[in-house]
Amino acid sequence: MWILLKKDLLRLIKQPAGFLFLIAVPIVLSSLMGLIFANSEHGVILPHIALVIEDHDDSLLSGLLKNAFHQEELGEMFDVTEVDKDQGRAYIEQDKAAALLIIPAGFSDSLLALTPTELILVKNPSLDFGPKIVEEMVHILAEAADRIVRIGEEPITTIRNELENNERMTDATMAAIAVMINQLMTKTGSLIFDPPITLNKQSVSENESNNSNKSLFASTLCGIATMCLFFILNGLAVDYFREREHYTMYRILVSPTSSFDYILSKYVYLFFAGLISFLAVWSLAFFVWRIPIPLSQVLPFCLMLVIITSSSVGIISLIYSLVRSRSQAAAIIPALIIVFALLGGAMIPIQALPPFFERLSIFSPIYWGVDGLQKILLDQQGLTMLASHIMILILLSIACPTLSLLLQRRRILR
Amino acid sequence: MLKVSNLTKSFDRVLAVDHIFFHISIGEIFGFLGPNGAGKTTTINMICGLLNPDAGEIELDGQVLTPDRTGLRHKLGVVPQEIALYEELNAYENLRFWGRLYDLSGNALKGRIHELLQLSGLAERARDRVKTYSSGMKRRLNMIAGLLHRPALLLLDEPTVGIDPQGRHNILDSVREIAAQGTTILYTTHYLDEAEALCDRLAIIDHGRILAMGTEGEIKSIVGENAIIRITGDISKEDIEPLTSRFAHLKIESQKERELLLSFSTAERAGDIIEAMYASGLDIENLQIKEPSLDSAFIKLTGRELRD
Ligand SMILES: Nc1ncnc2c1ncn2[C@@H]1O[C@H](COP(=O)(O)OP(=O)(O)OP(=O)(O)O)[C@@H](O)[C@H]1O
Ligand SMILES: [Mg+2]
């Protein structure tokens, strides 16, 4: 088994582009978030603003955007009315609103396709202050989205070229990454609304606001890093198919190696590679972005990272042993991860979910990881308090690989 | 050495291997000759324990081979039909990995890798990634990767597919050399000339069944001393009937759209038959005669040619 593992790691080292890119995504994103949170230290006192929104898109993403205006602090600042198509201008003309935000049809499609999109903002000329704020707000959103697109797009295209040449990564991985970046874009997009507002409310002392920023950053990172771990593992697990397509699995299995050893070596490989990337993201968070962690929490935190990684490996392997082909994997798995992430509170806080989905969140493996990390990092809870989290994750780490092992062995020996 | 009895395997609705029996003696090169889809690879997969047979038994040196008896696989060397290599690694790294899977290590492994790289003429490129190799070089590397542990029985599944004539010669020569060193070989192919040139004994397999087995001479005699006439044109069976009744040893073997295969015993004179054909005004576009050979034996057995 160690021979197999050494070979996989050697292959990883020999062709690191794919892996580095997989790791780069969460690192770039967390850096970006770090920058955003670090820079948001000037604020203005904002009055109550009447905002009218016309949603021509009516999609999940436009819903998220609208939701952002309703959330706690923003909700206090904005008085949002959603109107039917083409009715918004009347509000402006009657001075009933400071501004009108039009979400055009196809907004979410083009956002997901990484093509430029446009939000239309109509300001009320007779009012002075309010419209400006709205403009600022939308501007911040647009700029952040633009920044992410630019940071995200360039590596995508270059890496894609690179990969097409050397066939290392597949469309599945590309799709996963693209979806991930897009999803994270909306995520950070809605987050950007928060920091200035948090600051405005608490412009008492800088330190205090800084800390609350950091804890917001930390709790968001718990979600993003866990979700990215799933995507990274998904990218690496394509190896299951690659070994089959290149007949190297065949050759391994006709040797004295048992199918058990083969499958086990893949788990261990995924585990190590996943843990490395997870640790990379968190080291950055602790050492560069200075997220505070009490010394007593370091060990529990590391333990949590380990069991999150092992359970994620189990879950991804199980899904891989259920799908039939690479294209099926590419279609199903990223979507599944996003559903898990959404339900698990990795993308938006669970409290922001509709109550029904909130109850469903315990079925998302991501929930147990994200919640556990947040409790250790933010609420300083000890491991004993997290017994149920740990038990569930360990259970997943055992049950999923076992089930997947049985399924895979059956598939290998027809 | 290897004894296969009553081996059967079907996939969904295809009966891929249909109750076959054969044995290979020590030191022999045994040929498995059959067209695409005949069941060659399926048979090999069952021998090396990748497929569970529906029925039947495989014995290697008197021990029954089953998928979970992985220890017995030390005796087997497998060269898959497809290139099975890590393209991102170089030849040396590939061989080192494949060797380690058979518990080779240290200097013994290094020496063996060196030896095989020399044999295959890949020594100079050993440190280049496999990705950069030509398909002939990949084929050769694919083959030596199955030889590292000096297997007692080597299973070669169409090792010459898709390479140029010179590369083929190269591979055939290495196969002979390996056999000369005492390795028993099961060689599958759909090239007749390879089977004729290489194999001590061979089996003709089609649609999962062994149609004939023995030395080249034995197979020809099983089939009889028949030659084959192949004609193309707008001709139906009925058009030929007057001829078959006139020549007692002329028989229709098979008929496809515009192609007819006839066989005749060498008791008849080919010239007479052809003359009679043209005399009866048949619309013949093309006519070809094949003297008795493994080729004609194959057509006679399977009703089709090896390569369509
Ligand atoms: N995994 C499988 N699932 C379904 N059918 C299969 C499978 N493997 C082989 N077959 C079928 O079994 C039959 C025999 O296939 P096999 O690969 O053994 O032929 P072959 O003699 O090796 O042919 P070739 O010269 O093309 O390699 C074919 O009809 C093939 O379609
Ligand atoms: Mg085959």
Side-chain angles (χ1 to χ4, degrees):
Chain A
M1 199 212 73
W2 298 111
I3 299 167
L4 294 165
L5 180 63
K6 253 166 88 178
K7 171 262 308 175
D8 279 336
L9 293 175
L10 180 65
R11 289 171 56 216
L12 197 64
I13 293 164
K14 281 270 173 158
Q15 199 128 11
F19 183 58
L20 288 184
F21 183 57
L22 283 174
I23 295 196
V25 172
I27 287 182
V28 166
L29 280 163
S30 61
S31 309
L32 199 73
M33 280 166 55
L35 285 171
I36 290 165
F37 283 96
N39 288 340
S40 54
E41 277 168 30
H42 37 74
V44 265
I45 307 295
L46 299 174
H48 210 67
I49 300 161
L51 173 68
V52 178
I53 296 180
E54 273 182 31
D55 184 359
H56 294 245
D57 193 40
D58 207 14
S59 64
L60 180 69
L61 294 186
S62 70
L64 277 176
L65 182 66
K66 284 183 288 181
N67 219 24
F69 283 100
H70 281 298
Q71 264 166 28
E72 296 166 22
E73 295 90 346
L74 277 177
E76 274 174 32
M77 188 171 102
F78 289 103
D79 184 8
V80 181
T81 324
E82 201 188 332
V83 296
D84 287 341
K85 288 174 194 168
D86 308 323
Q87 309 236 311
R89 274 169 210 276
Y91 279 74
I92 303 263
E93 276 153 21
Q94 295 162 21
D95 270 355
K96 279 196 216 158
L100 162 68
L101 181 66
I102 301 174
I103 305 172
F107 167 73
S108 89
D109 285 347
S110 46
L111 203 60
L112 286 175
L114 276 179
T115 53
T117 59
E118 187 170 280
L119 291 170
I120 301 158
L121 185 71
V122 184
K123 290 183 284 183
N124 185 337
S126 64
L127 294 174
D128 194 41
F129 192 50
K132 256 218 167 96
I133 305 285
V134 180
E135 192 180 358
E136 281 288 302
M137 232 49 233
V138 175
H139 198 72
I140 292 172
L141 166 73
E143 202 164 281
D146 188 53
R147 245 193 288 176
I148 300 170
V149 168
R150 259 192 238 145
I151 292 173
E153 195 176 19
E154 224 231 27
I156 287 185
T157 32
T158 48
I159 300 264
R160 178 175 289 154
N161 289 342
E162 157 88 356
L163 295 173
E164 266 167 15
N165 293 338
N166 62 29
E167 287 182 12
R168 241 290 291 177
M169 271 223 293
T170 58
D171 285 348
T173 337
M174 288 316 303
I177 292 165
V179 172
M180 172 165 67
I181 287 186
N182 289 311
Q183 294 295 330
L184 288 167
M185 240 170 76
T186 49
K187 162 85 175 158
T188 8
S190 65
L191 264 170
I192 283 156
F193 285 98
D194 289 331
I197 314 296
T198 323
L199 274 168
N200 296 332
K201 284 183 77 183
Q202 308 180 336
S203 48
V204 203
S205 98
E206 238 179 46
N207 248 348
E208 204 178 303
S209 64
N210 219 340
N211 268 343
S212 87
N213 261 347
K214 285 223 164 115
S215 66
L216 184 61
F217 179 25
S219 86
T220 316
L221 195 58
C222 289
I224 291 206
T226 311
M227 180 174 70
C228 285
L229 175 70
F230 272 80
F231 276 109
I232 289 168
L233 290 175
N234 176 38
L236 294 170
V238 176
D239 230 32
Y240 282 122
F241 288 117
R242 204 175 291 132
E243 294 247 22
R244 194 169 309 175
E245 285 159 7
H246 287 238
Y247 293 91
T248 43
M249 182 182 90
Y250 178 103
R251 210 192 257 282
I252 290 170
L253 292 175
V254 300
S255 81
T257 315
S258 68
S259 52
F260 179 81
D261 274 351
Y262 168 70
I263 300 166
L264 202 66
S265 77
K266 281 278 176 260
Y267 291 158
V268 178
Y269 163 66
L270 288 180
F271 176 77
F272 275 128
L275 196 61
I276 289 170
S277 54
F278 214 14
L279 286 176
V281 174
W282 283 108
S283 324
L284 193 78
F286 292 130
F287 296 118
V288 179
W289 301 112
R290 306 248 162 237
I291 286 184
I293 177 167
L295 217 54
S296 63
Q297 294 299 89
V298 173
L299 204 66
F301 190 78
C302 289
L303 192 85
M304 201 67 189
L305 293 188
V306 169
I307 58 172
I308 289 177
T309 313
S310 66
S311 61
S312 315
V313 168
I315 291 159
I316 290 285
S317 301
L318 180 59
I319 303 172
Y320 261 85
S321 50
L322 290 171
V323 294
R324 275 170 205 285
S325 65
R326 224 183 230 245
S327 51
Q328 222 180 45
I332 294 174
I333 299 178
L336 203 64
I337 295 176
I338 285 160
V339 170
F340 278 159
L342 255 172
L343 287 178
M347 302 172 86
I348 44 173
I350 293 182
Q351 295 77 11
L353 290 173
F356 173 68
F357 291 106
E358 203 178 326
R359 257 174 282 134
L360 278 185
S361 68
I362 55 162
F363 294 108
S364 162
I366 289 183
Y367 165 78
W368 298 102
V370 174
D371 199 52
L373 287 178
Q374 285 173 344
K375 288 203 164 120
I376 291 177
L377 205 55
L378 301 171
D379 307 342
Q380 252 99 84
Q381 289 191 5
L383 287 179
T384 41
M385 311 269 288
L386 292 171
S388 59
H389 291 68
I390 293 171
M391 285 228 307
I392 285 172
L393 288 176
I394 289 182
L395 204 70
L396 285 173
S397 315
I398 296 170
C400 293
T402 314
L403 202 58
S404 125
L405 191 84
L406 294 174
L407 287 168
Q408 289 206 53
R409 260 167 67 113
R410 248 197 28 206
R411 183 184 292 182
I412 287 170
L413 288 178
R414 293 193 39 143
Chain B
M1 181 89 211
L2 183 79
K3 197 169 145 213
V4 169
S5 32
N6 199 31
L7 199 62
T8 303
K9 179 79 190 176
S10 52
F11 298 105
D12 306 326
R13 253 173 257 138
V14 190
L15 191 52
V17 173
D18 188 2
H19 301 89
I20 63 171
F21 293 81
F22 66 91
H23 72 93
I24 307 178
S25 326
I26 290 183
E28 207 173 27
I29 303 184
F30 187 81
F32 231 49
L33 179 64
N36 292 132
K40 305 185 290 294
T41 302
T42 308
T43 307
I44 288 206
N45 285 349
M46 286 189 282
I47 296 173
C48 56
L50 268 189
L51 283 175
N52 266 322
D54 295 341
E57 208 174 68
I58 302 158
E59 265 179 49
L60 181 66
D61 280 344
Q63 285 173 294
V64 178
L65 273 175
T66 56
D68 49 327
R69 291 178 94 166
T70 48
L72 277 178
R73 298 201 200 143
H74 278 284
K75 293 185 182 175
L76 283 181
V78 185
V79 175
Q81 182 171 1
E82 261 78 26
I83 306 282
L85 299 166
Y86 292 106
E87 303 238 310
E88 62 272 38
L89 302 182
N90 64 37
Y92 184 81
E93 287 158 344
N94 263 290
L95 293 174
R96 192 179 51 188
F97 167 65
W98 299 119
R100 281 178 181 163
L101 288 187
Y102 288 88
D103 298 339
L104 298 176
S105 59
N107 285 335
L109 177 57
K110 265 189 206 153
R112 182 66 177 155
I113 291 176
H114 192 69
E115 189 183 320
L116 287 171
L117 284 172
Q118 294 293 345
L119 175 84
S120 60
L122 289 171
E124 273 173 29
R125 299 287 307 273
R127 299 283 168 179
D128 294 342
R129 290 184 183 197
V130 172
K131 195 163 44 184
T132 64
Y133 286 13
S134 72
S135 62
M137 292 166 72
K138 287 182 191 169
R139 275 275 158 217
R140 275 179 275 159
L141 184 59
N142 195 43
M143 184 159 103
I144 59 175
L147 291 172
L148 288 156
H149 58 294
R150 302 177 195 277
L153 174 64
L154 180 64
L155 309 174
L156 287 168
D157 198 355
E158 306 199 24
T160 57
V161 163
I163 49 178
D164 60 30
Q166 206 196 327
R168 270 180 71 191
H169 269 289
N170 194 317
I171 286 195
L172 294 186
D173 284 345
S174 338
V175 172
R176 275 191 209 101
E177 199 171 319
I178 297 157
Q181 288 167 11
T183 308
T184 310
I185 294 175
L186 171 60
Y187 188 98
T188 82
T189 181
H190 61 252
Y191 295 115
L192 266 165
D193 52 335
E194 285 184 7
E196 274 172 339
L198 214 55
C199 302
D200 301 318
R201 279 193 314 132
L202 51 94
I204 292 179
I205 177 170
D206 193 21
H207 298 301
R209 262 169 302 176
I210 291 185
L211 302 173
M213 187 159 55
T215 61
E216 196 186 325
E218 281 166 355
I219 289 183
K220 280 186 200 162
S221 69
I222 293 170
V223 176
E225 294 284 294
N226 280 355
I228 297 284
I229 303 179
R230 185 167 74 151
I231 43 179
T232 41
D234 269 328
I235 304 158
S236 69
K237 271 187 179 171
E238 291 73 45
D239 297 334
I240 299 291
E241 259 157 27
L243 286 169
T244 47
S245 51
R246 187 169 137 204
F247 297 98
H249 297 284
L250 184 66
K251 271 193 292 211
I252 299 174
E253 291 297 340
S254 77
Q255 184 184 24
K256 268 189 269 174
E257 285 170 49
R258 293 172 42 76
E259 186 184 286
L260 213 56
L261 290 175
L262 307 169
S263 71
F264 64 96
S265 137
T266 37
E268 315 270 11
R269 280 189 47 222
D272 293 345
I273 298 174
I274 292 163
E275 213 180 292
M277 276 182 181
Y278 281 106
S280 61
L282 290 176
D283 181 16
I284 297 173
E285 280 170 17
N286 198 340
L287 185 146
Q288 205 182 340
I289 299 181
K290 284 192 175 136
E291 290 302 316
S293 69
L294 211 47
D295 214 2
S296 55
F298 191 86
I299 292 168
K300 174 101 177 134
L301 284 166
T302 63
R304 56 174 167 160
E305 286 182 271
L306 268 169
R307 271 170 296 160
D308 293 315

